[in-house]
Amino acid sequence: MAEPERTQRRLRPAPLLFEPTTAAADPEHFFDLESVEDPRELLARATELTLAFRAATDRAIEFQAIAAAQLAEPHRFDRLSAGEIAERAEWTEDYAKKMVEFGRGLLRGELRD
């Protein structure tokens, strides 16, 4: 996974509504989209969900990077190596190193919108 681009202004995602457990258990059920009959409305709602998931993904990646940077901090007595971070996050070691640097930039206030 590549580092997210920070050239665009952060968009406010559409609110994600959590589905009831019974609906979530049905593999054909997805945020009630299957019940929308009007294609215009379906496209609009599906687009809202897509943008919300993208924004959530970008934000989660930033938090992963911040956590990786904190875990790799040399002054921590329980510091983790890039390899250990990679193993915990299911990344390659090279990607873990990039995420640590990205997280350090975020912690310094760089790359913020």
Side-chain angles (χ1 to χ4, degrees):
M1 198 174 222
E3 290 182 17
E5 291 292 324
R6 295 288 144 215
T7 57
Q8 290 183 334
R9 190 171 178 227
R10 187 181 317 271
L11 299 174
R12 282 239 173 251
L16 293 177
L17 305 175
F18 291 96
E19 299 181 277
T21 311
T22 55
D26 180 4
E28 297 300 315
H29 186 81
F30 187 73
F31 290 89
D32 207 30
L33 292 179
E34 69 286 343
S35 68
V36 178
E37 294 184 19
D38 178 10
R40 288 177 186 90
E41 184 181 339
L42 178 60
L43 179 60
R45 182 62 180 142
T47 301
E48 287 176 353
L49 284 170
T50 299
L51 294 174
F53 284 124
R54 284 181 188 158
T57 298
D58 288 347
R59 196 69 179 126
I61 289 169
E62 290 175 351
F63 280 107
Q64 282 182 310
I66 289 169
Q70 290 172 334
L71 289 169
E73 176 60 41
H75 299 100
R76 287 180 66 105
F77 76 92
D78 58 348
R79 175 181 183 258
L80 297 180
S81 69
E84 292 167 321
I85 293 169
E87 186 177 324
R88 287 177 183 227
E90 299 181 12
W91 297 331
T92 64
E93 189 169 341
D94 286 340
Y95 186 73
K97 289 176 185 177
K98 290 178 183 179
M99 287 295 277
V100 167
E101 287 307 311
F102 178 52
R104 286 179 177 154
L106 290 172
L107 289 169
R108 286 190 301 265
E110 300 170 4
L111 308 170
R112 288 260 180 202
D113 292 336

